[in-house]
Amino acid sequence: MTIESRLAHHLSLDRAALERAGRVARDAGERLDRVLTKLGMVSERDMATALSELLELPLAQPADYPEAEVLDGRLSRQFLKHFRVLPLAAPEGGPLRLAMADPLDDYAADAVRLAAGMAVSRLVAVPAELDAAFERLLGDASPAAVADDDAGPAEDEDVERLKDLASEAPVVRLVNLMIARAVEARASDIHVEPFENRLKVRYRIDGRLVEAEEPPLRLKAAVVSRIKIMARLNIAERRLPQDGRVKLAVRGRELDLRVSTVPTLHGESVVLRVLDREAAVLDFAALGFSGAPLATYLALLERPEGVVLVTGPTGSGKTTTLYTSLLGLNRPERKIVTVEDPVEYQLEGVNQVQVKPGIGLSFATVLRSILRQDPDVVMIGEIRDLETAEIAVQASLTGHLVLSTLHTNSAAATACRLLDMGVEPYLLTATVGGLVAQRLVRRLCPACRRAEAVPPELAERFHLTRLWQPVGCSQCSGGYLGRIGVVEVLALDEAVRRLVLRRAEVGDIQRAAQASGMRTMFEDGLLKAEAGVTSLAEVLRVTREA
């Protein structure tokens, strides 16, 4: 068995993906391991670890890299960078410990052995760590040459130097590896944050930020510039926020990255929102809808007209709920048009419009135009102002089903929010059919969750018979794996409509809705906690009830 076939077997690659990579390798005349990393099907760290185990060679650790250059002057810097090898230590009597990005390169190892005059012991290097060591030990550019993020608009010469630096292999590999690791960790966002003495990288995993390995500080400007180049942003503009988008393949999966930059005291802070189409679950049960709330919501969607609003804070899954709703509504006899900022996922058979405020293409402007397109269903990404709310209400009055989102804390609070925005009570009660509020809680890992007895006071207060706690194992992150929604669905009945007409308080509307049978988010969360889907601590965290 060849090293390539052993490697493929060791990495447990999907057969179709492996065959595709094999064809590319044969056509390009390259080794399979190199093609796998170039295609993003295997991360450089995973590949290095696999090579280390298969070749029975040590894996070079970050602490193995020296503080000063080893064998100073005896090995050409150009040679070391070209063959991507770096001496780590040269003890008396040898052997010379040599970190190699390609431990199968016999020519490079022999050349180092002859030049150093001693035997060579090979170590498998993680390319990003090797490149960081190159920059620290062999780099020619001083930190000032990388460009000063605190400066105003860069001079043409500085911009060109940044472009060149951001396009160099080490920086390209570093950014690609950062994105690949985020995808492997199931991160929804990547935060790249410059500070005076460090460039912090954090991943948002299951709603929580987790620190990742930091790039070398000297590459701060180059890393940010590389991301901006990928997103087709203006790298010379560092004083104003910018937004862009990147499409790329990571480990054989097509990804969209929404990129946002904001100037801070020590440079530009960059956030990349990871939109993985293949990982997107557009299924109500998987989103957390079940039982009576799901039945009520599906009934709202089957109405020929009316406004249905999904509410919650940023990152609570509102847009995913709307996309799932559109999939269920998408039939040949219906025309669906959406107005979004931005369009997150492309839906076959749905007319999706991206707003562009910079050229005057706002939500309100687009809505006026698409209502002349004879749609049956209209989805508005977000109701941000009175003008958009009024057009949504008017669209409902003329026989359209309108879906949208709003930032409020509960379903009952949504009605009061619309009144506060200036929507007339009689229009609101005549058009709004239902209000949905949701939050995301972390799912307990099914492999390691542990059942425990319910304390008597909790059992009496919340009528619980069993609870589950996170434990933590190799398959999860601290006992949690993924997220699921807790929801409440308020269908406006006569009692609630009368209260809205009187401009009643949120509490009065909430009590009337519960008297009519609405299950609150807290109650929905308790059911999920009792079933072992999540923990009581998670439910309390997101609903703020006790």
Side-chain angles (χ1 to χ4, degrees), residues 70 94 165 328 366 522:
V70 176
L165 187 60
V366 175
F522 180 62

Side-chain angles (χ1 to χ4, degrees), residues 7-15 17-18 36 41-42 251:
L7 189 62
H9 176 73
H10 188 81
L11 291 166
S12 301
L13 294 172
D14 175 75
R15 182 176 178 180
L18 183 59
L36 287 172
M41 297 170 66
V42 178
R251 302 199 71 169

Side-chain angles (χ1 to χ4, degrees), residues 423-470:
V423 178
E424 292 295 335
Y426 71 90
L427 286 176
L428 195 156
T429 56
T431 58
V432 176
L435 306 169
V436 180
Q438 65 182 65
R439 299 288 190 278
L440 292 177
V441 295
R442 292 182 292 171
R443 280 179 175 270
L444 284 169
C445 174
C448 66
R449 65 183 180 181
R450 183 182 67 234
E452 65 173 23
V454 183
E457 62 274 15
L458 291 180
E460 181 180 353
R461 183 176 182 183
F462 299 131
H463 309 291
L464 300 173
T465 59
R466 180 174 58 177
L467 284 176
W468 300 76
Q469 291 296 326

Side-chain angles (χ1 to χ4, degrees), residues 19 43 46 72 90 95 134 173 178 228 235 238 250 340 350 371 379 384 404 406 455 465 475 503 506 514 543:
E19 290 176 351
S43 73
D46 285 347
D72 190 17
F134 277 148
R173 278 194 295 270
M178 182 193 307
K228 291 171 73 174
I235 70 169
R238 304 173 209 162
V250 176
E340 305 173 63
V350 176
L371 290 179
M379 192 270 271
R384 298 177 177 175
S404 189
L406 201 64
T465 59
Q475 300 180 31
R503 294 179 179 270
V506 173
Q514 288 182 252
T543 60

Side-chain angles (χ1 to χ4, degrees), residues 518-540:
M518 182 189 79
R519 180 198 296 172
T520 67
M521 280 187 291
F522 180 62
E523 293 167 340
D524 189 51
L526 286 182
L527 290 176
K528 290 181 169 71
E530 192 170 33
V533 176
T534 188
S535 65
L536 180 61
E538 275 294 291
V539 175
L540 294 173

Side-chain angles (χ1 to χ4, degrees), residues 20-57:
R20 183 169 69 250
R23 287 195 299 270
V24 173
R26 287 190 296 273
D27 293 343
E30 286 197 65
R31 288 208 322 253
L32 180 63
D33 58 315
R34 293 177 177 174
V35 171
L36 287 172
T37 53
K38 284 183 179 180
L39 291 178
M41 297 170 66
V42 178
S43 73
E44 290 183 330
R45 178 173 292 278
D46 285 347
M47 181 61 72
T49 302
L51 286 171
S52 170
E53 292 172 358
L54 287 174
L55 299 174
E56 297 182 351
L57 294 175

